[in-house]
Amino acid sequence: MSVHTDVKRISVPQLMACKGQRKIASLTAYNAPIARLLDDYLDMILVGDSTAMVGYALPNTLTITARQMAFHAAAVVRATQHACVIVDMPFGSYQESPEQAFRNCSMAMSSSGADGIKMEGGAALAPTVRFLVDRGIPVLAHVGLMPQYVNTMGGFKAQGTTSEAAERILKDAVAHEQAGAFGVVVEGVVEDLAREITARLSIPTIGIGASPDCDGQVLVTEDILGLTGTRIPKFARQFADVGAVIRGAVEEYARGVREGSFPTMDNCFGVKKK
Ligand code: KIV
């Protein structure tokens, strides 16, 4: 059953109002068929730059461009009516200056119709967040494990494992709240840090590999559907084996084609029904 009671899309202020009231449910989508299936059940759909790895089989997220992200976001917006759609800004599209960030974020939003953007970064990015918010761009910040920093972090590993690191990540999150971010994705940090960030902020935290106490949760859809073809990460859960369903259907189709049971005359044009 759909969780939405009206046809209007959930707005960023409505997401913010969820803090302390109810959890925010979110997943990624990169294309129309998946977005259409998710829309009835989620508050927020993230057009994540994880599409670089999940959709394009690249080793990390670093090579996808803002134009590609805008294309994916446009497909997701066209296929949905309810969920708030947030587009992830990719590596190199916002770090240079607030002006560069505004150019790329406004392009991504205006060419796709997305409701806001997400960007990875610590407190050093806060002035850019402020610049964007002041110019009408809702920003979802992203702290902790930031995949765009894979080369400086030396891999995808849990963050905040020392008290100094935890203190820094907490400061990053607070800086983004003060700069006007509407929420913060907290990824891959030790659980008590995610809990502390959630308690300290008045804006929602969206956890992934964080804590059940976060104000919401986001996962990569393909991970929960068994579509990634790799080991499920510790922080995710496979809720269905859609991969097995697809393999079964394709096997049956291929057998039908080879044996001659598909197509039949019913699938042909210009054949009179008896
Ligand atoms: O790119 C992405 O999909 C993300 C989420 C998993 C948080 O950043």
Side-chain angles (χ1 to χ4, degrees):
M1 205 184 74
S2 168
V3 295
H4 303 291
T5 50
D6 64 33
V7 291
K8 275 180 66 193
R9 203 180 273 284
I10 295 178
S11 66
V12 163
Q14 283 173 318
L15 280 184
M16 296 178 81
C18 291
K19 176 107 186 173
Q21 300 301 313
R22 65 175 184 83
K23 298 271 189 183
I24 296 169
S26 179
L27 285 168
T28 59
Y30 319 122
N31 58 46
I34 294 285
R36 206 172 283 125
L37 292 169
L38 305 185
D39 189 39
D40 275 347
Y41 309 99
L42 299 179
D43 302 297
M44 183 177 92
I45 293 179
L46 174 67
V47 187
D49 64 351
S50 52
T51 190
M53 298 170 79
V54 177
Y56 292 89
L58 289 161
N60 55 48
T61 60
L62 301 184
T63 48
I64 195 138
T65 67
R67 280 272 165 215
Q68 283 173 290
M69 291 306 302
F71 255 79
H72 285 285
V76 170
V77 170
R78 280 195 295 271
T80 57
Q81 292 173 282
H82 302 299
C84 187
V85 177
I86 301 299
V87 55
D88 215 359
M89 296 311 294
F91 179 66
S93 69
Y94 57 91
Q95 291 91 345
E96 188 183 323
S97 65
E99 288 78 8
Q100 183 220 21
F102 182 78
R103 259 193 314 279
N104 284 317
C105 294
S106 59
M107 177 280 294
M109 281 182 68
S110 62
S111 63
S112 69
D115 302 289
I117 63 96
K118 175 172 89 58
M119 45 177 50
E120 300 174 12
L125 193 68
T128 297
V129 173
R130 169 52 63 203
F131 189 88
L132 297 175
V133 174
D134 283 350
R135 285 157 182 77
I137 297 186
V139 177
L140 179 61
H142 182 153
V143 302
L145 196 169
M146 299 180 288
Q148 292 178 22
Y149 289 71
V150 60
N151 290 318
T152 44
M153 285 184 319
F156 300 109
K157 36 189 177 195
Q159 303 294 305
T161 51
T162 64
S163 54
E164 297 77 41
E167 184 66 21
R168 183 180 41 73
I169 294 168
L170 176 61
K171 281 188 179 144
D172 291 342
V174 169
H176 289 314
E177 173 175 34
Q178 288 171 351
F182 74 83
V184 183
V185 168
V186 181
E187 176 167 0
V189 302
V190 291
E191 193 275 333
D192 57 348
L193 171 61
R195 208 166 355 107
E196 190 179 353
I197 294 174
T198 303
R200 284 281 292 275
L201 299 191
S202 61
I203 55 173
T205 57
I206 313 291
I208 170 165
S211 168
D213 280 354
C214 284
D215 301 304
Q217 179 70 206
V218 63
L219 285 177
V220 168
T221 297
E222 284 76 358
D223 281 339
I224 73 159
L225 298 182
L227 284 173
T228 43
T230 53
R231 199 171 49 86
I232 306 163
K234 176 181 166 64
F235 54 80
R237 183 187 298 166
Q238 189 178 315
F239 285 82
D241 193 353
V242 177
V245 174
I246 293 176
R247 275 193 297 278
V250 175
E251 187 180 17
E252 208 175 308
Y253 162 79
R255 192 181 318 116
V257 170
R258 290 183 187 119
E259 289 174 352
S261 61
F262 183 86
T264 67
M265 293 308 262
D266 284 347
N267 305 110
C268 298
F269 298 106
V271 179
K272 293 255 182 318
K273 284 239 190 287
K274 286 194 198 117

